[in-house]
Amino acid sequence: MPLDAVFRDEWGRVLASLVGYLGDFDRAEEAAQEAFAIAAERWPISGMPPNPGAWLVTTARNRAIDRIRRERTLAEKIPLLPVPEAAMDDLDECVFKDERLELIYMCCHPALSLEGQVALTLRALGGLQTAEIARAFLVSQETMKRRLSRAKSKIKAVGMSFEVPDARQLPERLDAVLTVIYLIYNEGYSGRVDLSAEAIRLGRLLTGLLPDEPEARGLLSLMLIHHARRQARFSGEDLVLLDDQDRSLWDMRQIEEGRAVLDQALALGGRGPYVVQAVIASLQTHERINWRQVAELYRRLVELTGSPVVELNRAAAIAQAGDPVAALRAVDSLNLHEYLYFHSTRAELLRRLGRREEARAAYGRALRMATSTPERRFLTRRLENI
């Protein structure tokens, strides 16, 4: 297996083990990076060890101990390290404790800003470099570096414990974890496919660590089903709506995997918002979509979330089910005037009802708010064809 593949597979596990062992995020990162650098030098010559993750952890721990010993101001920390000294090549090939769940909960601690949670999760669990995360979120590397620095400083300042929260805190903290992963996915869904794939990888990791949590499976199912249609969503720089997509471009194997994960979530009693969204996504892959059923599921999702954006999606489903008048009435009741898709949805409903001048004005408002090239091209065509 190439070193970069090992890095992707082992980085989160190695870093989690080191953070738990050293109690210091920055020192753990430095030690992990040093261990991977040593591996890059040695493994092409000596070959990859049977358990690369254990080799990396052992090497990183030894290097961290050496570094602490050399730093005279931190000498008092040496007696606190809970393992005996080890030589660099004295490798522990046993399966080491997987502490990634603790690291996920630390990264998504509610004391951190949402931006900090996202950046730290991608850095710590995904192993993405600061420059990669900055490019994905369209900010400068320096801006992203500051976000990561603030998040790590906050962890130290409030003394966040490296452990899974107790049962009373678990729902709130799990919601934060799911939100962060879904936000990462949505950033990729807008065009940065690698980031979507990273969110799916994190979703798989979370379901492996929390096999009995239906909402974790619901989120993974939702991402898998949406991601399966990524090749059909665009034709060159043109946005392609669901009804017009070439289904031969859909990844049916991934859709079936998403449906299987959804079945598992439902079997676990899942009825939360991510499970409901996954059911909607699954229904939308059927050859004949039952839009009345989709609209009803959106109604349930509104009850769960109270989100006006979900209500907007419900209105669109009502229109697809054949009642654009009721759909427009629902849209006009929403206070989403700064939201692009409010205006594009309203424009489409007005167009269907033959109210051309109003539709043209609504499409124009949406076009002025659009930022991506596919959206602007789509809205321009709609405006020209009224």
Side-chain angles (χ1 to χ4, degrees):
M1 183 186 295
L3 181 62
D4 59 348
V6 174
F7 180 86
R8 299 293 293 154
D9 290 343
E10 297 292 347
W11 173 262
R13 250 183 116 196
V14 171
L15 184 63
S17 178
L18 292 169
V19 172
Y21 173 66
L22 297 169
D24 187 300
F25 212 108
D26 287 325
R27 192 173 292 280
E29 273 200 321
E30 290 172 2
Q33 290 167 351
E34 198 166 356
F36 275 96
I38 294 169
E41 292 178 2
R42 291 191 182 185
W43 291 359
I45 299 170
S46 63
M48 189 177 298
N51 189 334
W55 189 100
L56 289 162
V57 167
T58 302
T59 302
R61 285 183 177 184
N62 288 333
R63 284 301 175 105
I65 291 170
D66 290 343
R67 184 183 293 270
I68 291 173
R69 185 178 288 113
R70 289 194 304 268
E71 296 172 0
R72 295 177 61 185
T73 58
L74 297 176
E76 70 275 12
K77 289 192 176 182
I78 293 296
L80 301 179
L81 296 178
V83 296
E85 296 182 17
M88 176 57 68
D89 294 319
D90 182 15
L91 305 179
D92 177 9
E93 292 295 340
C94 66
V95 177
F96 55 93
K97 180 185 176 184
D98 190 339
E99 296 167 305
R100 286 176 294 179
L101 187 58
E102 286 93 337
L103 187 58
I104 288 175
Y105 277 103
M106 178 178 280
C107 291
C108 298
H109 195 286
L112 302 177
S113 69
L114 185 57
E115 289 178 339
Q117 291 175 19
V118 170
L120 206 56
T121 299
L122 287 172
R123 184 76 185 93
L125 277 301
L128 273 67
Q129 299 300 311
T130 304
E132 294 178 285
I133 305 171
R135 284 197 301 271
F137 285 90
L138 303 179
V139 298
S140 70
Q141 186 172 342
E142 192 59 36
T143 295
M144 188 54 67
K145 189 182 298 183
R146 286 196 297 271
R147 287 182 189 175
L148 286 164
S149 179
R150 283 196 297 268
K152 293 175 185 177
S153 297
K154 187 75 171 183
I155 286 173
K156 288 182 180 179
V158 303
M160 293 181 192
S161 58
F162 185 74
E163 60 186 12
V164 176
D166 63 35
R168 292 170 301 172
Q169 297 173 303
L170 193 59
E172 173 193 352
R173 295 286 289 277
L174 179 60
D175 286 347
V177 172
L178 295 173
T179 297
V180 165
I181 294 176
Y182 195 35
L183 180 58
I184 292 168
Y185 177 79
N186 281 332
E187 286 294 325
Y189 193 66
S190 65
R192 296 181 285 279
V193 174
D194 286 347
L195 209 53
S196 291
E198 179 59 30
I200 289 172
R201 196 179 72 80
L202 291 170
R204 292 188 195 280
L205 168 62
L206 190 62
T207 57
L209 295 171
L210 297 171
D212 297 326
E213 285 291 346
E215 277 290 84
R217 292 187 181 274
L219 175 58
L220 178 58
S221 171
L222 175 64
M223 294 189 297
L224 285 168
I225 293 172
H226 277 322
H227 199 56
R229 297 193 287 110
R230 65 191 182 281
Q231 298 297 335
R233 291 185 65 241
F234 298 95
S235 177
E237 291 190 328
D238 291 329
L239 181 66
V240 182
L241 298 182
L242 178 63
D243 287 346
D244 301 321
Q245 288 177 9
D246 180 355
R247 290 179 172 237
S248 69
L249 298 176
W250 290 5
D251 186 339
M252 295 308 300
R253 185 173 63 177
Q254 196 169 69
I255 288 174
E256 289 305 319
E257 181 187 0
R259 288 172 176 168
V261 174
L262 175 58
D263 288 342
Q264 295 164 359
L266 292 170
L268 288 167
R271 298 295 184 272
Y274 288 109
V275 173
V276 174
Q277 288 179 80
V279 174
I280 292 171
S282 179
L283 285 174
Q284 290 177 332
T285 64
H286 293 175
E287 189 169 347
R288 293 179 63 85
I289 301 172
N290 185 335
W291 285 107
R292 291 186 184 278
Q293 188 177 4
V294 170
E296 174 59 21
L297 285 166
Y298 273 125
R299 184 192 64 77
R300 288 170 54 187
L301 194 57
V302 170
E303 293 176 352
L304 289 169
T305 65
S307 168
V309 173
V310 174
E311 185 65 62
L312 181 67
N313 289 331
R314 174 175 172 267
I318 290 172
Q320 289 291 87
D323 194 347
V325 173
L328 181 60
R329 189 162 54 244
V331 168
D332 283 341
S333 70
L334 301 174
N335 184 18
L336 286 172
H337 300 285
E338 302 305 315
Y339 185 54
L340 163 64
Y341 300 113
F342 169 84
H343 297 285
S344 60
T345 301
R346 188 168 182 274
E348 176 60 19
L349 295 174
L350 290 166
R351 185 190 67 81
R352 292 188 188 188
L353 293 170
R355 295 161 62 174
R356 297 175 58 187
E357 291 305 315
E358 293 173 272
R360 187 175 287 110
Y363 272 127
R365 179 71 183 274
L367 182 58
R368 288 191 293 275
M369 298 176 71
T371 56
S372 73
T373 298
E375 285 174 342
R376 293 187 62 82
R377 288 169 63 90
F378 174 80
L379 292 168
T380 297
R381 286 200 310 274
R382 277 288 202 261
L383 195 54
E384 290 172 347
N385 291 332
I386 292 179

